[in-house]
C-alpha cells in the first residue's frame, strides 16, 4: 500500500468516525469533506494529506466558516450566510489549502463533483443508484416532456380587439355586478 493510500484510509476513517446529528452544518461539512477526499484521491491533490491531519476536524472547519461569515460585510452589516463556493473555499483554507489554490481547485472540477454528489442524494424513490446513473429516464417514470427541438417555432397569435369595443360597455357591465 502506498503512502497516499494509507493517508486516504486514515482520512476516511477519521471523517467517518465523526458523528453529528443528521442535517446539522457539521454533518454536511463532514459529507462534503468525504466527497472532497474522493476527488482529491482521483486528481492527485494534497488534500488527502491535509484531511488526514489529526489536528483538523469538521467542527473546526465549521467554526472557521462562522468566523469568516462574521467578518464578511453585507449590505446591512455583518453577513450570516455564505454561498456554496465561499463556504467550500473557507473549509479548504481551514484544512491548509492556499486561498487562490482553493478557488482554482473548485473551478477545475471540485465544485462540480460536490454538486453532482449532492444531486445523487435526491434520486427518485425506489430507484437504485446504478439505474439513476445509467438511465435516468427509465428510472423515474415522469410525465413525458415534449422535445422542443423537433417542433417548429410557431409565432404566438395576438388576440385582436374588435373595433366595436368600448370601455363604456365594460363599465356598465361592472356596474351591474356591484
Amino acid at each position: 500500500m502506498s503512502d497516499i493510500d494509507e493517508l486516504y484510509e486514515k482520512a476516511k476513517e477519521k471523517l467517518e468516525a465523526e458523528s453529528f446529528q443528521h442535517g446539522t452544518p457539521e454533518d454536511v461539512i463532514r459529507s462534503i469533506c468525504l466527497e472532497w477526499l474522493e476527488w482529491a484521491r482521483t486528481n492527485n491533490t494534497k488534500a488527502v494529506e491535509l484531511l488526514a491531519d489529526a489536528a483538523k476536524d469538521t467542527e473546526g472547519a465549521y467554526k472557521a466558516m462562522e468566523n469568516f461569515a462574521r467578518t464578511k460585510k453585507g449590505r446591512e452589516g455583518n453577513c450570516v450566510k455564505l454561498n456554496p463556493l465561499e463556504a467550500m473555499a473557507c473549509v479548504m483554507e481551514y484544512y491548509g489549502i492556499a486561498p487562490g489554490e482553493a478557488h482554482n481547485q473548485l473551478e477545475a472540477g471540485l465544485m462540480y463533483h460536490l454538486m453532482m454528489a449532492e444531486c445523487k442524494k435526491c434520486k427518485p424513490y425506489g430507484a437504485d443508484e446504478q439505474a439513476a446513473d445509467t438511465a435516468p429516464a427509465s428510472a423515474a417514470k415522469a410525465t413525458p416532456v415534449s422535445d422542443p427541438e423537433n417542433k417548429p417555432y410557431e409565432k404566438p397569435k395576438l388576440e385582436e380587439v374588435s373595433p366595436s369595443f368600448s370601455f363604456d360597455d365594460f363599465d356598465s357591465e361592472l356596474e351591474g355586478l356591484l
Side-chain angles (χ1 to χ4, degrees), residues 19-49:
S19 178
F20 303 102
Q21 184 178 357
H22 179 70
T24 61
E26 292 91 348
D27 182 51
V28 172
I29 293 170
R30 184 184 67 80
S31 68
I32 287 173
C33 285
L34 283 166
E35 290 298 331
W36 178 29
L37 180 65
E38 294 297 325
W39 185 84
R41 183 181 190 192
T42 305
N43 293 286
N44 297 324
T45 63
K46 72 176 190 173
V48 175
E49 302 160 12

